[in-house]
Every structure is written in C-alpha cells, then in structure tokens.
Amino acid sequence: MSLLNVSGLSLRYGSSQALFDINLSIDAGEVVALMGRNGMGKTTTVKAICRMLPSTGGLTFDGRDLQRLPSHKVARLGVGLVPEGRRCFRDLTVRENLLATARPGPWSLEEVASLFPRLGERSTQRAASLSGGEQQMLAIGRALMTNPRLLILDEATEGLAPIIRQEIWAAIARLKRETGMAILLIDKTLRELKQVSDRAVIVERGATVWSGAMGTLPHEVTERYVGV
C-alpha cells in the first residue's frame, strides 16, 4: 500500500473548477516530483492533500481517509509542508520558530543544525533578520521538527541565489539518502529534480497527464507540459 494515494481528485474555487482528475501516489522513502507549468494545479493539489482546501475524490495517507480530517490532524498524521513563500514567524527567533512546531521523533534542534549549519549559527536571531535563503532553510527545518513521514516542498528553491539553491538541493539529497522519509517536490529545475527524484507526476490544467519513473520521462513530454 502506498503511503499517500490520491485518485480522481477534483476541486472547485466557487464556480471555477481548478482540479479535474489528479492521480498520484508516494511510497515510504520515495521522492516524487510534481511537475507542470505555472497555474496548472500543483500548489492547489498540495493544499488539497493538506486539507487546506476542500476537495472530492480519493485521498488517503497510510490507509487513513484524509477527506474526513481537518488540516491540523493531517499534519499530526505525519504530513509536513514547506509552503510556497516560506512564511516563517518573523518576530520569533530561529530557535523559537523550530520549537513552535516540534513533535516527538528523531528531528531535533541539533539535527536541523546539522542539516543547515547556518540555522545553528543564527539560533538567537529573529527570523525577520535572516536572508531569503536562510528563511527558506528555517521553513524546511520547521517542517522537519514536526517529524513527518511525508515532507512536501513547494518551490523550495524559487528565487534563491545559486549557492543557497545548491545547499538546499544537497539537504534534500541527504534526506533521501539518510532517512526513510517520503518527499513530494514541486520545482522548476529539471536537472536537480532528476538527480533526487524516483518518479515524476506531470499535471496540466488540473489533471494528471503523465506519471512514471523519472529515468523514463521522455523529452517530448517535458517540452509539451513543462516547457524545458
């Protein structure tokens, strides 16, 4: 059984339908890339999985029906989200941001600092004083402190300096290599996605149009649906 299973997912914003037929699955320890052009439903799919938006269709996590749960209970089941736009608690210190979401498990302040040494060095600084890249590291660390079984990263490297992007991709590769955590990635950089992802799911206009092993993703499919 897949850890996360999404089947026939649909979602409406008032009279407008945003998702029509999203299908994807993630096994424990697997890294899946959710791909597609801007505005095609990737972030909306993530919000539906996390129950931040109401949807219809099959949506289960470790056999539990997520459609019956509010978002905070989905998080408690082990779904950790790094949302688009970082959204740190700006007036709290780095340490306070991390402790605010802490739940029992292997991820601790020390483990997060091992993954992102910058956060350890800046533990007493307010989040508002951090650079954009450091805030993104903090957002990832905060999600890890919930000790998730599935980590969702929505555009975690968008708009960051190349050296910071490299640090975050290295951290993702380390998470894949050293933990049994499943990861769902949304990003636009195909080269890096290919290096860490086991499978890819491509969405177009609110529907899944391709799914398979990352190594079998045809160039013509990426040209048509991803624009690379």
Side-chain angles (χ1 to χ4, degrees), residues 13-67:
Y13 287 112
S15 60
S16 300
Q17 189 159 357
L19 302 181
F20 293 85
D21 186 24
I22 296 292
N23 299 278
L24 66 90
S25 64
I26 305 175
D27 293 336
E30 187 177 35
V31 179
V32 174
L34 182 59
M35 303 167 63
R37 292 188 176 91
N38 289 341
M40 292 299 150
K42 303 185 298 297
T43 294
T44 302
T45 297
V46 166
K47 289 181 177 180
I49 292 170
C50 295
R51 303 301 298 134
M52 298 164 68
L53 291 172
S55 61
T56 59
L59 185 57
T60 62
F61 182 77
D62 197 21
R64 293 281 301 273
D65 184 2
L66 298 186
Q67 296 285 27

Side-chain angles (χ1 to χ4, degrees), residues 49-126:
I49 292 170
C50 295
R51 303 301 298 134
M52 298 164 68
L53 291 172
S55 61
T56 59
L59 185 57
T60 62
F61 182 77
D62 197 21
R64 293 281 301 273
D65 184 2
L66 298 186
Q67 296 285 27
R68 299 176 179 271
L69 299 178
S71 58
H72 69 276
K73 289 191 176 180
V74 173
R76 288 177 184 172
L77 284 179
V79 179
L81 172 63
V82 180
E84 188 177 21
R86 301 161 197 143
R87 302 180 195 174
C88 301
F89 302 121
R90 293 176 58 82
D91 291 332
L92 299 183
T93 66
V94 168
R95 177 185 175 88
E96 289 167 342
N97 264 273
L98 296 174
L99 290 177
T101 61
R103 299 188 69 235
W107 284 97
S108 63
L109 292 173
E110 293 75 21
E111 288 297 319
V112 170
S114 173
L115 186 67
F116 294 120
R118 291 167 183 253
L119 298 183
E121 297 165 1
R122 292 158 175 72
S123 64
T124 60
Q125 289 184 218
R126 291 173 59 245

